[in-house]
């Protein structure tokens, strides 16, 4: 590329000897930095998608080279324009690569401030129209670069809840796709139109709209804020464990998804992150974030702008093992499973950890209605099923498991072999028929863990609400969470594992939301079957938590604020 650039200079600027040495060196240095940056960026694909030590130093070198490249092209823009022929779309490519670096650093660390950095670079590309001249060149591969940039920008905006920007980007992307397919007879038109459809479905997945007085939609964030988790009151005796790593594993083929994220994975990802802060101040505050959230998509599908890792059982076990191996002392590994249920066929003579089924870890054509698979040959177990027994080795350290599946109850048959803190939060295995048609927009159980008020409104039959009433209900819900925290910590019969995890803000909030979810469903008139209720391992003392009269009274008061008290049972309070 350097030789080519110098030849271009000679042909456009006269004899090679007429080129000032300083300008020749500028072009040479730019070409070196450009080649080095591409080499390092391409090498990122070969890095393992798991573990901390293998990639951090490589990311650091890549960031360093791109920082130098970006500053260099800014300082020497005129020389590069005249002698190198630097085009604006090439500047946009550099900015896009930096945005991708920040985004992937966020994916590996869960530090949401890096999302803001990615947004800044992607936004600058759009504001400065770096890709505006691409459509004038007869090169479809350049247009695809532009389309991919839009898709990546949309992902970042979705994660930052910048829905107004998302809607503008979707319109622009739609126009770009129409122009692209009109000018070039390409085979990827269907895939790009699918991207548009997925984004549209994703941003409409929330079942309830919160409206301002002018009927504009309020964008609500579900990341942990300063006032999010109930505070520990003086005298509360809880453990000092801290959530360090999280594996978010998704394999729901029938759910709304965008990029590699199903809506359930997206919601759980946000439930395990803090609100973005100033990057400089956040980096100086230890213990602010979960150190690593690894997102693993097990679903297949076209993906034009991002690599999807397809994990079957053995690679999934390898990923979990490496995350487990790097877990610091006094730390917790969280595993979230949102996947199709695998049920045992017939009755087994034994009741071991491999006899109750589990969840599916790959795409399987034997899925019935996209929901469950029953192994036909009773002599063998489903080889791509993650059984409870497969997680036994990880119980040597504190382990917090959330299972959202039609066979979640398989995981209540755990045995705590090593005496370490262990909790499993398990979704209902079925919902009342009136709610089943909402499954494509995400699981109700995960929605409760992500946005309990929205889930409460949904089961109460409400689809929209004014912001003032929303804020009032959120304040009351915070009071409910504080009381749930007291119920749990004052309980004399609760398993100590729950209290060991209660010292961590994220896990404390998940536990209080789980109890609120379970109590709400048990009081709701249409949730009448046992399989409609969440369960846990170890079991919670019902009379002190999910069926506590004080909590039931709170739920009815929240229903009264919303004027939906009629959908809940009141006879549970007869003895209150």
């Amino acid at each position: 590329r350097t030789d080519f650039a110098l030849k271009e200079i000679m042909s456009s600027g006269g004899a090679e000897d007429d080129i000032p040495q300083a300008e020749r060196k500028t072009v040479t240095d730019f070409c070196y930095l450009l080649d080095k940056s591409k080499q390092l960026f391409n090498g990122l694909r070969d890095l393992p998608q798991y573990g901390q030590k293998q990639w951090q130093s490589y990311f650091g070198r890549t960031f360093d080279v791109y920082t130098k490249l970006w500053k260099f092209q800014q300082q020497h823009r005129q020389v590069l324009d005249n002698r190198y022929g630097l085009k604006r779309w090439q500047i946009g490519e550099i900015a896009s690569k930096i945005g991708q670096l920040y985004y992937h650093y966020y994916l590996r660390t869960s530090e949401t401030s890096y999302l803001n950095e990615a947004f800044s670079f992607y936004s600058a590309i759009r504001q400065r129209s770096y890709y505006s001249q691409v459509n004038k060149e007869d090169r479809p591969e350049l247009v695809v670069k532009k389309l991919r940039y839009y898709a990546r920008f949309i992902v970042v905006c979705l994660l930052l809840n910048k829905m107004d920007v998302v809607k503008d980007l979707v319109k622009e992307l739609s126009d770009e796709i129409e122009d692209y397919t009109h000018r070039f007879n390409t085979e990827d038109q269907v895939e790009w139109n699918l991207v548009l459809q997925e984004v549209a479905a994703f941003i409409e997945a929330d079942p309830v709209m919160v409206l301002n007085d002018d009927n504009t939609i309020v964008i609500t964030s579900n990341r942990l804020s300063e006032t999010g988790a109930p505070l520990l009151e003086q005298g509360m005796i809880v453990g000092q464990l801290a959530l360090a790593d999280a594996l978010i594993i998704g394999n729901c083929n029938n759910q709304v998804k965008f990029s590699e994220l199903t809506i359930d994975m997206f919601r759980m990802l946000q439930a395990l992150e803090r609100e973005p802060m100033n990057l400089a101040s956040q980096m100086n505050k230890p213990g602010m974030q979960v150190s690593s959230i690894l997102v693993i998509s097990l679903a297949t599908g076209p993906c034009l702008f991002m690599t999807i890792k397809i994990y079957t059982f053995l690679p999934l076990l390898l990923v979990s093992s490496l995350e487990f191996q790097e877990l610091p002392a006094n730390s917790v590994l969280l595993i979230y499973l949102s996947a199709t249920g695998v049920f045992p066929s017939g009755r087994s003579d034994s009741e071991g950890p491999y006899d109750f089924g589990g969840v599916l870890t790959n795409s399987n054509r034997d899925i019935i209605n996209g929901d469950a698979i029953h192994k036909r040959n009773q002599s063998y177990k489903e080889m791509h099923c993650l059984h409870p027994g497969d997680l036994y080795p990880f119980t040597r350290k504190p382990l917090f498991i959330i299972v959202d599946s039609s066979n979640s109850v398989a995981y209540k048959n755990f045995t705590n072999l090593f005496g370490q803190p262990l909790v499993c939060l398990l979704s209902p295995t079925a919902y009342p028929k009136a709610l089943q048609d909402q499954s494509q927009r995400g699981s109700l159980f995960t929605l409760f863990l992500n946005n309990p008020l929205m889930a409460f409104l949904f089961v109460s039959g409400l689809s929209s609400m004014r912001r003032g009433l929303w804020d009032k209900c959120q304040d009351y819900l915070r009071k409910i969470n504080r009381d749930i925290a007291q119920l749990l910590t004052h309980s004399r019969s609760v398993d100590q594992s729950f209290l060991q995890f209660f010292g961590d803000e994220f896990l404390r909030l998940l536990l209080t939301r789980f109890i609120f979810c379970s109590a709400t469903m048990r009081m709701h008139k249409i949730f009448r079957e046992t399989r409609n209720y969440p369960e846990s391992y170890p079991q919670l003392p019902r009379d002190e938590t999910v069926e506590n009269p004080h909590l039931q009274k709170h739920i009815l008061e929240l229903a009264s604020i919303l004027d939906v008290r009629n959908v809940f049972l009141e006879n549970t309070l007869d003895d209150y």
Side-chain angles (χ1 to χ4, degrees):
R1 178 58 178 140
T2 304
D3 293 339
F4 174 77
L6 291 175
K7 288 178 182 178
E8 286 291 305
I9 293 170
M10 291 174 61
S11 62
S12 61
E16 185 176 351
D17 294 339
D18 295 337
I19 304 169
Q21 187 65 29
E23 294 185 3
R24 186 195 307 277
K25 186 177 186 306
T26 296
V27 173
T28 302
D29 290 349
F30 176 76
C31 289
Y32 169 78
L33 286 173
L34 187 62
D35 290 342
K36 186 67 175 177
S37 67
K38 290 179 178 179
Q39 178 186 352
L40 287 169
F41 190 89
N42 292 335
L44 292 173
R45 300 169 185 167
D46 299 326
L47 293 178
Q49 297 293 310
Y50 38 80
Q52 298 290 310
K53 298 176 182 177
Q54 296 95 330
W55 62 270
Q56 283 182 326
S57 60
Y58 193 96
F59 254 78
R61 293 200 305 273
T62 309
F63 268 117
D64 184 53
V65 170
Y66 269 97
T67 300
K68 292 177 180 177
L69 177 63
W70 184 253
K71 291 181 178 178
F72 193 89
Q73 62 84 22
Q74 287 179 318
Q75 295 167 353
H76 304 282
R77 181 72 59 81
Q78 185 172 357
V79 173
L80 293 173
D81 284 347
N82 296 334
R83 299 300 188 185
Y84 179 82
L86 185 66
K87 293 182 169 58
R88 290 189 64 76
W89 68 262
Q90 292 173 304
I91 301 172
E93 271 295 282
I94 297 171
S96 180
K97 288 288 197 298
I98 296 172
Q100 291 176 61
L101 279 176
Y102 277 119
Y103 171 71
H104 285 287
Y105 199 86
Y106 150 76
L107 284 182
R108 288 175 177 268
T109 64
S110 84
E111 292 179 0
T112 47
S113 296
Y114 286 102
L115 274 179
N116 280 334
E117 299 298 320
F119 177 83
S120 296
F121 275 89
Y122 286 146
S123 184
I125 293 171
R126 182 170 174 239
Q127 291 171 359
R128 299 173 189 176
S129 303
Y130 282 138
Y131 283 118
S132 61
Q133 301 301 312
V134 162
N135 292 10
K136 295 182 180 179
E137 301 195 29
D138 193 26
R139 295 175 60 185
E141 70 275 11
L142 292 184
V143 181
V144 170
K145 286 180 183 290
K146 184 176 184 178
L147 299 182
R148 287 177 173 172
Y149 150 72
Y150 269 107
R152 294 186 180 107
F153 195 5
I154 288 170
V155 171
V156 169
C157 290
L158 282 173
L159 290 167
L160 287 172
N161 294 305
K162 295 182 181 290
M163 294 305 176
D164 290 342
V165 181
V166 169
K167 291 175 182 178
D168 291 340
L169 291 174
V170 168
K171 185 179 185 309
E172 293 174 21
L173 177 58
S174 178
D175 293 340
E176 294 290 345
I177 291 173
E178 184 177 352
D179 179 72
Y180 167 65
T181 55
H182 179 73
R183 291 175 56 210
F184 306 102
N185 187 18
T186 63
E187 298 179 355
D188 56 356
Q189 178 181 356
V190 174
E191 286 84 355
W192 280 112
N193 285 331
L194 180 60
V195 169
L196 290 174
Q197 293 171 17
E198 287 183 346
V199 179
F202 207 88
I203 61 180
E204 295 174 359
D206 283 349
V208 178
M209 290 188 298
V210 183
L211 301 173
N212 286 311
D213 291 337
D214 59 358
N215 286 332
T216 57
I217 297 176
V218 178
I219 306 303
T220 59
S221 175
N222 301 302
R223 289 189 172 96
L224 184 62
S225 61
E226 293 293 332
T227 59
L231 296 176
L232 291 176
E233 295 185 359
Q234 190 172 6
M236 282 187 179
I237 301 175
V238 297
Q240 301 301 312
L241 297 173
L243 180 59
D245 292 287
L247 298 177
I248 296 179
I249 302 166
N251 188 25
C252 290
N253 294 320
N254 65 329
Q255 266 191 20
V256 169
K257 68 180 180 67
F258 182 59
S259 181
E260 78 271 31
L261 290 176
T262 65
I263 190 66
D264 275 357
M265 296 167 71
F266 173 79
R267 286 170 175 161
M268 183 51 58
L269 179 63
Q270 299 230 323
L272 294 175
E273 293 177 344
R274 290 187 184 274
E275 282 297 334
M277 300 170 61
N278 175 270
L279 187 56
S281 65
Q282 181 165 328
M283 293 298 286
N284 293 327
K285 293 180 97 173
M288 286 297 297
Q289 301 263 164
V290 179
S291 65
S292 172
I293 295 181
L294 180 59
V295 179
I296 302 174
S297 173
L298 303 175
T300 57
C303 186
L304 304 174
F305 47 88
M306 198 173 298
T307 301
I308 294 181
K309 295 294 182 182
I310 307 302
Y311 288 90
T312 51
F313 173 73
L314 290 177
L316 178 58
L317 204 60
L318 172 63
V319 170
S320 304
S321 300
L322 288 171
E323 292 293 312
F324 174 81
Q325 182 180 354
E326 294 185 355
L327 202 65
N330 297 317
S331 297
V332 181
L333 173 64
L334 183 147
I335 298 178
Y336 169 79
L337 299 169
S338 169
T340 299
V342 179
F343 294 87
S345 294
R347 292 188 175 182
S348 173
D349 294 335
S350 61
E351 289 190 350
Y354 290 89
D355 295 316
F356 297 96
V359 299
L360 195 64
T361 60
N362 75 337
S363 297
N364 193 304
R365 287 188 294 270
D366 293 332
I367 293 174
I368 301 172
N369 295 326
D371 184 49
I373 177 171
H374 299 261
K375 190 65 182 173
R376 291 187 176 86
N377 190 332
Q378 298 183 21
S379 302
Y380 303 102
K381 311 293 184 187
E382 168 60 46
M383 68 180 299
H384 292 298
C385 171
L386 187 69
H387 297 271
D390 295 322
L391 300 179
Y392 273 23
F394 307 115
T395 61
R396 288 175 169 85
K397 294 183 180 180
L399 184 63
F400 195 99
I401 302 170
I402 301 172
V403 184
D404 197 337
S405 173
S406 54
N407 192 28
S408 61
V409 291
Y411 294 83
K412 75 175 182 179
N413 299 292
F414 253 101
T415 301
N416 193 340
L417 299 175
F418 303 101
Q420 292 292 313
L422 170 65
V423 162
C424 303
L425 305 183
L426 311 173
S427 72
T429 57
Y431 294 101
K433 291 182 179 180
L435 300 173
Q436 286 180 349
D437 59 348
Q438 298 292 326
S439 60
Q440 287 188 336
R441 299 169 73 176
S443 162
L444 178 61
F445 178 68
T446 293
L447 183 61
F448 261 104
L449 298 181
N450 164 263
N451 191 335
L453 180 54
M454 182 170 288
F456 189 88
L457 296 174
F458 172 64
V459 299
S460 300
L462 300 175
S463 59
S464 65
M465 170 175 290
R466 293 294 173 186
R467 180 167 190 167
L469 184 56
W470 171 271
D471 292 340
K472 180 180 179 180
C473 291
Q474 285 285 30
D475 287 341
Y476 193 78
L477 191 56
R478 279 189 279 271
K479 172 180 169 54
I480 294 177
N481 279 339
R482 289 194 298 270
D483 285 356
I484 290 175
Q486 288 184 349
L487 291 175
L488 202 61
T489 54
H490 293 173
S491 171
R492 295 182 179 181
S493 56
V494 69
D495 190 279
Q496 288 300 303
S497 286
F498 291 101
L499 300 181
Q500 288 293 315
F501 291 127
F502 215 65
D504 181 89
E505 282 185 289
F506 291 102
L507 302 182
R508 183 160 69 249
L509 192 57
L510 287 172
L511 285 170
T512 55
R513 287 175 174 177
F514 172 82
I515 292 173
F516 174 74
C517 169
S518 185
T520 298
M521 291 179 177
R522 289 171 185 276
M523 293 186 67
H524 202 287
K525 288 182 178 178
I526 69 170
F527 288 77
R528 300 318 322 143
E529 298 182 51
T530 303
R531 60 180 186 159
N532 296 157
Y533 306 142
E535 297 194 48
S536 67
Y537 172 88
Q539 286 190 356
L540 286 164
R542 291 182 185 175
D543 57 334
E544 296 181 353
T545 55
V546 297
E547 293 180 357
N548 180 274
H550 186 64
L551 175 56
Q552 292 175 339
K553 181 181 178 184
H554 278 329
I555 289 174
L556 287 179
E557 287 176 356
L558 179 60
S560 295
I561 294 173
L562 296 166
D563 197 24
V564 292
R565 190 160 175 152
N566 61 304
V567 304
F568 294 96
L569 298 170
E570 300 202 33
N571 57 0
T572 54
L573 294 181
D574 289 344
D575 300 325
Y576 181 73

